[in-house]
Amino acid sequence: MTMEVKYLKRPHPTKRDEPELWYANPIVRKAESVTAMTRAATENTSTAPTEMEAALTLWGNYARKRLLAGESVRVGDLGTLRVTFRSKGVESIDDVNANQMVYDVRLKFTPSKEFRESIVNNISFECGGVLEDGVDYSSLNAYRVAKGLAPTTPSGPGSGEDGGGSGSGEDGSFG
């Protein structure tokens, strides 16, 4: 499958004093509603969308209880969900108080190796636009034309228009 990316110019995350570079950022679309998702997921199966929706509701209730009890929770064969947090330090054992020390509570999903590989090894990327100085260009060629640069050919090197390539590159990602 192909995922769209938008090109953004910004400082390197760890080398802020160096000139800005172009980075590819994922274009993440809004998630479908639960009803739309369950209809799509159960299409051409004997499972009714309402059955899947009920199962998700039951799993959510179960997961809340387990996470609040400090347990990790399996998400089928997709991976594991757990609670993480940061903690302020205190100098003396007399000052420890978890409710005052703990902050930035988050839920962390860790994908299973199989699930992660099924995504990472099967994804490719294509240009979904360029964003510079608050102007959102619909494509790399639209940006190049607006800037007075020669347009690229769809299969030209570095065009970013052909959807080719996968995986990772220089990690300046922010998404």
Side-chain angles (χ1 to χ4, degrees):
M1 301 223 41
T2 302
M3 180 177 186
E4 286 187 320
V5 298
K6 186 164 295 220
Y7 301 119
L8 305 164
K9 196 172 189 180
R10 59 176 62 164
H12 188 282
T14 61
K15 302 173 186 171
R16 297 229 174 250
D17 54 333
E18 292 186 8
E20 291 185 336
L21 301 173
W22 287 99
Y23 294 98
N25 260 22
I27 297 175
V28 180
R29 308 256 189 274
K30 182 180 174 188
E32 293 179 310
S33 69
V34 172
T35 301
M37 184 268 302
T38 56
R39 283 185 181 156
T42 59
E43 187 176 36
N44 299 321
T45 72
S46 62
T47 303
T50 55
E51 292 173 316
M52 183 176 178
E53 193 169 339
L56 289 170
T57 299
L58 292 170
W59 184 87
N61 292 338
Y62 168 80
R64 281 181 192 86
K65 289 176 188 174
R66 302 285 45 98
L67 291 166
L68 289 169
E71 298 175 24
S72 61
V73 180
R74 299 257 335 130
V75 186
D77 65 351
L78 303 179
T80 306
L81 192 61
R82 63 187 170 97
V83 174
T84 66
F85 57 81
R86 297 177 73 186
S87 174
K88 298 174 187 169
V90 294
E91 291 182 19
S92 168
I93 191 69
D94 296 329
D95 296 330
V96 297
N97 180 324
N99 287 317
Q100 293 176 357
M101 296 169 68
V102 171
Y103 69 101
D104 195 21
V105 178
R106 297 176 181 219
L107 294 180
K108 181 174 182 177
F109 174 74
T110 304
S112 66
K113 179 180 177 184
E114 296 79 16
F115 180 65
R116 182 185 182 287
E117 287 177 356
S118 73
I119 303 300
V120 172
N121 295 335
N122 293 297
I123 194 167
S124 63
F125 304 94
E126 69 180 20
C127 178
V130 177
L131 181 64
E132 183 182 47
D133 298 328
V135 179
D136 198 350
Y137 301 91
S138 62
S139 68
L140 182 55
N141 275 335
Y143 171 82
R144 294 181 65 81
V145 168
K147 296 296 182 174
L149 304 170
T152 59
T153 57
S155 60
S159 71
E161 299 288 337
D162 62 358
S166 67
S168 61
E170 177 70 23
D171 187 18
S173 63
F174 295 85

